[in-house]
Amino acid sequence: MHFTLAQQFMIAGLIVLIAGMTVIGLWVTDNIERAIVQNRADSTALFVDSIVSPLSQVLARQAAIDPAAQSLLLAAVETGPLAERFFSFKIWTPEGAVAFSSDPELVGRRFALQPEMRAALQGEVVAEFDEMAGAEHVVERDSGQELLEIHSPIRDAGTGRIIGVAEFYRPAADIREVVSRARFRSWLVVASATIGMLALLFVIVARGSRRIEQQRRRLDDQVEHLSQLLAANTTLREAVDEAAQRAVTLNERYLRRISADLHDGPAQLLGFAVLRLEAIRKGKGRPDDEALVRRSIDDAISEIRSLCQDLQLPELEGLSGRDVALRAIKAHAFHSGATVESAVADVVVETHGAKICLYRFLQETLSNATRHAGASHIRAEVSPHGTGIMACVKDDGAGFSSAPDPHRPGLGLAGLKERIASLGGRMEIVTASNGAPSGTSVRMFLP
């Protein structure tokens, strides 16, 4: 399953923040509870000290409290101001003996000093919810109540020396209620702050995640588009490489054909003229030699001009695509005497190679329609096509099926096809032998 960045952050952030909230909440509530208990203990110890300390000053001189002082203390614990606040009360000597207790059976007994007692002897007020496991806590333990145990030092009024420890227990119900309210408020504040931080961070990350996701989709689209372009370019490069190789072969065939045409045509005629001139020089001429030589030389010149006409390309630099097409059509009409119907639109042909290709296409296809097809009607069209151009020559002639060799097109169309392919275009031929009802239609598409 795929999660977005925002979802991943939400899950991870929720886990981290809940863990952090738990730790912080426990720490905060524990400290608040300790502070509340300690605050209650300090205020209670101050109140107790104001009543108990004057009655316990005798501990500065002896290890026991006088019976009269014990009676006053017992009255204060059972019926006086301490009776309403405390469940039980004890006064310890520094040696661990019980000098006074609301439970008379404990007076005079000695017990081991507990850590809370030692801390109180060091001058601290210690308060805690004790489990009351010792023998000195039998009464408190049997009460079944939750009691707060407080140890407060008793000092000598003259010197400030600690002469004993007051240990008293008070019911913890009201303190527990205060602690519970404080704990609830603390958890509420911590949870609210945590949820607020999580919500704020989620909004920030969600916006970033959405932007990253959009950029990722755009990059995926671009990568896919570039992959398609790369595949198309690879295919085009392979096609161009193949076209270039075939073009080399065709050029060699062109050169051989030109060589053969020159050898079989003008060279033979000029050779015949040379023979007759040699015969005249030796005095073996005939009466018609002058006419024969003149006609041979004229025919040779005519054939050479015909070959040059096919090879020569007019100046196309600076011409628009429409002008190039019209020049090719007019040149064919002038030399062949054929009538060509034309429909040439304004087209953009930027490169010189494309202009040459357009001119050669019209030159070759119009020549084929006139010389080989025996057509009575020829139409040439040039128009925009997508981001490129389309050129088409149609005739109503016999098609390739009436050509001298229908299975082997001439060098002209083959070379033209390779020229078009080298520029990234394509050529389509529909003739009477492969689908057309009659005539031939040749189309060229150039990017």
Side-chain angles (χ1 to χ4, degrees), residues 149-161:
E149 182 183 27
I150 302 174
H151 292 80
S152 174
I154 300 174
R155 298 178 182 272
D156 183 359
T159 64
R161 180 173 60 87

Side-chain angles (χ1 to χ4, degrees), residues 169-193:
Y169 297 83
R170 60 168 297 174
D174 59 334
I175 299 177
R176 281 296 187 189
E177 184 179 354
V178 173
V179 170
S180 297
R181 287 199 300 267
R183 183 183 290 114
F184 173 77
R185 291 171 183 168
S186 300
W187 279 109
L188 184 62
V189 171
V190 172
S192 300

